[in-house]
Amino acid sequence: FNTAAAIPRVTATFQRDTAAVLFSLLLAIAPIPTALVARNFVSLYAIPSASMDPTLRKGDVLLVEKLPNVFGRTSRGDIVLFRPPLALQDIINGGSSSSTNRPTSANSIGSKSLFVKRVVGLPGDINILLDPTTKEISIDGSPAVGPDRNLCEDEPLRLIDRFLETGKGKSIEQLSSNEVFVLGDCKDVSIDSRVFGVLPKDNIEGKPLGRIWPPSRI
């Protein structure tokens, strides 16, 4: 546990989302009946893949706030958790998505599953383009916000290249009032808006308050 590194991150989170942090702490020390109700507003999320590497690594555990109107507290560059749009469900389920909320197999997902990405495009943004060579996204001529997306390990089979060939987010003229564009921090692995297209902002379920595991990365 690196105290010197952790304190600035905790301070920054508190300054950015003071109300959400205080509410989450209150729920954490609340009596059990209140805590049972509160699980709809605060939860834990374990990172399942390398799509956000190295910012969030597989196995990291996040404390997530899911208070109402989460999009109203979301800015460009923020990391969010969201329910998958139908296009993403179809990609992972092999085109077999239905109206059910339950996955049909161990490797499939339902509409209640959660994913984590970074918001790079907001309602009203124009000229969202994928560079076919670098696989990077630009928005109205400027690079998408976020860290260097070349700092993670490539997926050996380069499956992302096949997904990007038919991606729904290669060229978007303008995001509507209910749409955002999300990217993973590892462009060579992440199935994100480049592939499944825009994300309805109403699908955004929560925002991470901080990482609680492993201790060395808090």
Side-chain angles (χ1 to χ4, degrees), residues 4 7 10 15 29 36 50 61 63 66 71 79 82 94 128 135 146 165 212 217:
I7 289 177
V10 173
Q15 291 174 339
I29 62 176
L36 292 176
V61 179
L63 177 65
K66 299 187 292 183
F71 183 75
I79 294 174
F82 61 91
I128 300 177
K135 317 302 183 187
E165 286 178 2
I212 65 170
R217 285 172 51 76

Side-chain angles (χ1 to χ4, degrees), residues 6 12 31 33 43-44 54 56 68 80 112 127 135 141 143 150 160 181-182 188 196 205 209 214:
S43 65
L44 301 180
L56 301 172
V80 298
K112 297 297 185 182
N127 299 329
K135 317 302 183 187
N150 295 292
I160 188 63
F181 198 94
V182 296
D188 291 327
F196 59 77
E205 190 86 2
L209 293 173

